Amino acid sequence: MPHAVRHEPVIAVLLPCYNEELTIGEVVRRFRETLPSAAIYVYDNNSRDLTALKARAASATVVREPRQGKGNVVRRMFADIDADIYVMADGDGTYAPEDAPQLINILQTERSDMVVGTRRGVTDDAGRNGHAFGNRIFNRLYKGLFGTDFTDIFSGYRVFSRRFVKSFPAVSGGFEIETEMSVHASQLKLPVSEMALDYGRRPEGSSSKLSTFRDGARILWMFAMLVKETQPLRFFGTFALFFLAASIGLMIPVLIEFAETGLVPRMPTWVLSIGMLLLAMLSMMTGFILDSVSRGRAEQKRIFYLSISSGRAERPASGQALPKSDPGKAPRAA
């Protein structure tokens, strides 16, 4: 029987951009030289400079996303573009397009669904010590909450399989989108890989869009919400322990006084301690119930993920019948 032959994967390069006129043209040209067969898309997120014009001049397909925030851009890109392999990078020139073939090779050879280009020189980025400190703290926090799958959850240089892109819900709206991607992979136990890459500096005149305190607070809030959604027993169990400790702390002096005198003169304290105990029980029961719901949702996500083509399909050799096309599958973007 004739053997199946593997077709060349359709590659899409996705570049979310906001005011990157100084770098986007060069980034597009380098990706074009590195991946000549790839389609390159620049999603302009309300830039006030010539980002879109420079990208078009470099032969990229430019799409405007009016909702501000990187998460909104990523959600739009993943919904619009249909490919086998997706390469996502920033348009600021800090990630080297020449590293893309190595990331793609890891995705294919290790059969991963996401490969993250971890940043070697992230602590040297424009001298932003606040960013470097926050990066270390949040990576450690991630390992404590969600596991050790990743060492750099904020890297913007990633390569995805089709099934990851089409199964990723993309709820967040800002820079916390990378955290959501990482949690999605960890929750469903998707095959992921990492590769250490050099992290470049921005050119003179270009500035980071990150705000150390504002975006740090949003990422911390996203951590809390993701723990609530994926680990509700841990989330509500923490509140239960807090209320239980407060209840016991208020209750013990009243019980000691009752044992000595047979009286409960501090009735408001006793009522408050009982209320705290009830809140502890309610929080724990809420955690147990939502934990069952969360497990059911994770199973549904996993089944949906498995129903999507991985982008590694093989085409039959000459003489074999072609598989029937799925009428519900969206056409590939040009």
Side-chain angles (χ1 to χ4, degrees):
M1 291 183 62
H3 296 287
V5 294
R6 188 172 296 277
H7 72 282
E8 286 297 319
V10 177
I11 301 174
V13 177
L14 310 179
L15 303 172
C17 285
Y18 174 63
N19 292 341
E20 300 292 0
E21 67 175 358
L22 297 177
T23 56
I24 188 59
E26 180 65 18
V27 170
V28 171
R29 281 189 288 272
R30 289 167 64 187
F31 268 114
R32 182 73 67 195
E33 294 173 358
T34 305
L35 301 171
S37 64
I40 302 178
Y41 301 88
V42 172
Y43 274 69
D44 179 32
N45 195 202
N46 299 318
S47 295
R48 296 188 297 272
D49 59 8
L50 301 179
T51 295
L53 184 63
K54 294 292 182 65
R56 287 193 182 94
S59 302
T61 300
V62 179
V63 181
R64 179 176 174 271
E65 171 50 52
R67 293 185 180 90
Q68 197 66 42
K70 185 174 182 179
N72 293 318
V73 177
V74 171
R75 184 186 306 113
R76 174 77 179 275
M77 292 191 302
F78 284 4
D80 285 355
I81 309 303
D82 197 6
D84 296 322
I85 296 174
Y86 299 77
V87 180
M88 188 179 78
D90 292 340
D92 57 12
T94 53
Y95 299 109
E98 293 76 16
D99 293 327
Q102 299 180 66
L103 296 173
I104 293 173
N105 182 61
I106 292 176
L107 185 85
Q108 293 179 307
T109 57
E110 298 189 9
R111 304 184 72 83
S112 300
D113 281 306
M114 178 169 64
V115 180
V116 181
T118 59
R119 301 166 292 176
R120 287 198 189 102
V122 65
T123 56
D124 301 326
D125 180 27
R128 298 302 295 273
N129 293 326
H131 292 178
F133 176 75
N135 188 69
R136 290 193 295 268
I137 293 298
F138 282 122
N139 276 295
R140 290 175 184 172
L141 182 60
Y142 182 92
K143 290 179 181 179
L145 293 174
F146 301 106
T148 58
D149 290 332
F150 302 98
T151 59
D152 185 6
I153 61 172
F154 298 129
S155 173
Y157 204 177
R158 300 177 184 234
V159 176
F160 309 96
S161 69
R162 184 178 187 277
R163 63 166 47 166
F164 183 97
V165 166
K166 297 306 179 183
S167 67
F168 177 58
V171 175
S172 55
F175 283 104
E176 62 273 22
I177 187 69
E178 283 95 357
T179 304
E180 187 185 352
M181 290 177 182
S182 303
V183 173
H184 176 72
S186 296
Q187 182 190 24
L188 299 187
K189 297 179 173 59
L190 306 184
V192 296
S193 304
E194 289 187 328
M195 177 180 175
L197 303 173
D198 290 328
Y199 185 64
R201 288 177 174 269
R202 286 175 170 271
E204 194 70 28
S206 177
S207 59
S208 173
K209 310 304 185 298
L210 279 171
S211 170
T212 301
F213 296 104
R214 184 192 65 217
D215 289 309
R218 292 178 64 178
I219 292 169
L220 189 61
W221 177 256
M222 173 58 70
F223 267 89
M225 292 300 99
L226 288 171
V227 171
K228 179 180 72 69
E229 293 296 324
T230 62
Q231 303 175 43
L233 186 56
R234 170 185 279 189
F235 182 83
F236 288 99
T238 301
F239 284 100
L241 289 176
F242 170 77
F243 289 131
L244 180 61
S247 174
I248 293 174
L250 293 170
M251 190 180 294
I252 288 177
V254 179
L255 291 176
I256 292 174
E257 191 170 9
F258 176 76
E260 293 174 347
T261 65
L263 301 174
V264 185
R266 297 195 300 181
M267 184 59 68
T269 303
W270 176 254
V271 172
L272 180 59
S273 68
I274 295 300
M276 289 290 186
L277 182 61
L278 291 175
L279 285 175
M281 295 172 62
L282 180 62
S283 296
M284 185 58 67
M285 290 304 299
T286 301
F288 278 120
I289 294 171
L290 292 182
D291 186 65
S292 297
V293 174
S294 177
R295 288 176 182 270
R297 291 181 60 197
E299 291 173 359
Q300 290 180 336
K301 289 180 181 179
R302 178 75 185 180
I303 292 171
F304 179 71
Y305 154 82
L306 292 173
S307 70
I308 300 172
S309 170
S310 65
R312 306 186 186 100
E314 293 180 343
R315 285 182 180 170
S318 177
Q320 288 183 283
L322 289 170
K324 293 182 180 180
S325 61
D326 183 358
K329 183 177 177 181
R332 299 188 188 278

